[in-house]
Amino acid sequence: MFPQLPAAVRVFFCTRPTDMRKSFDGLLGMVHEFLGQDPLSGHLFLFLNRRRDRVKILFWEPDGLVIWYKRLEAGTFQKLDPASRGDRSSGQAGLELTATDLALLLTGVDLASARRRKRYARAG
């Protein structure tokens, strides 16, 4: 599992199915084209395959790019639709998740049925 993420790190999810044969350069292109973000920003970029049983997360560390890859032996990751979630969108085919959403998604919790309790959120 991922280490604790700093508060400044953002998580961007690509809603288009991704060919899992893509490596660093292919995923970099998708970050630019579909998410409209800088892949060297230190943020996390999440990609799912068409069957949603594999996930790749691309991120930049101070000395190079890293790909984190997970394959499920059974089940699928949840399909996230930006239109139905009301989340902040990113680029033409992406949306922004919280670190909590990422953790829930990777552990198999359905984000649609998870109920959030009211908490303070700083404006802006």
Side-chain angles (χ1 to χ4, degrees):
M1 195 64 181
F2 268 94
Q4 184 73 12
L5 296 175
V9 173
R10 296 166 66 190
V11 180
F12 296 98
F13 174 76
C14 183
T15 58
R16 295 225 176 147
T18 302
D19 181 354
M20 286 295 136
R21 294 174 293 181
K22 288 186 185 288
S23 190
F24 295 99
D25 294 330
L27 295 176
L28 282 173
M30 291 186 70
V31 170
H32 282 295
E33 183 179 355
F34 299 125
L35 301 176
Q37 298 292 323
D38 175 18
L40 306 182
S41 63
H43 301 309
L44 302 178
F45 302 97
L46 180 77
F47 303 92
L48 293 176
N49 65 338
R50 187 170 305 281
R51 292 188 324 213
R52 296 187 339 265
D53 65 345
R54 296 163 197 246
V55 63
K56 279 189 178 181
I57 300 176
L58 178 73
F59 59 99
W60 174 258
E61 286 190 337
D63 57 351
L65 286 165
V66 177
I67 293 177
W68 185 86
Y69 188 32
K70 182 174 183 175
R71 180 188 74 188
L72 295 178
E73 294 301 318
T76 60
F77 292 104
Q78 180 181 358
K79 182 176 183 176
L80 300 178
D81 182 21
S84 66
R85 288 182 41 97
D87 289 332
R88 292 181 284 180
S89 63
S90 171
Q92 58 178 301
L95 57 94
E96 187 172 347
L97 303 176
T98 65
T100 303
D101 288 341
L102 174 63
L104 293 173
L105 182 73
L106 293 177
T107 55
V109 176
D110 184 359
L111 299 179
S113 64
R115 200 175 98 226
R116 295 192 184 276
R117 306 287 299 171
K118 184 177 178 179
R119 295 287 187 261
Y120 171 79
R122 189 174 183 178

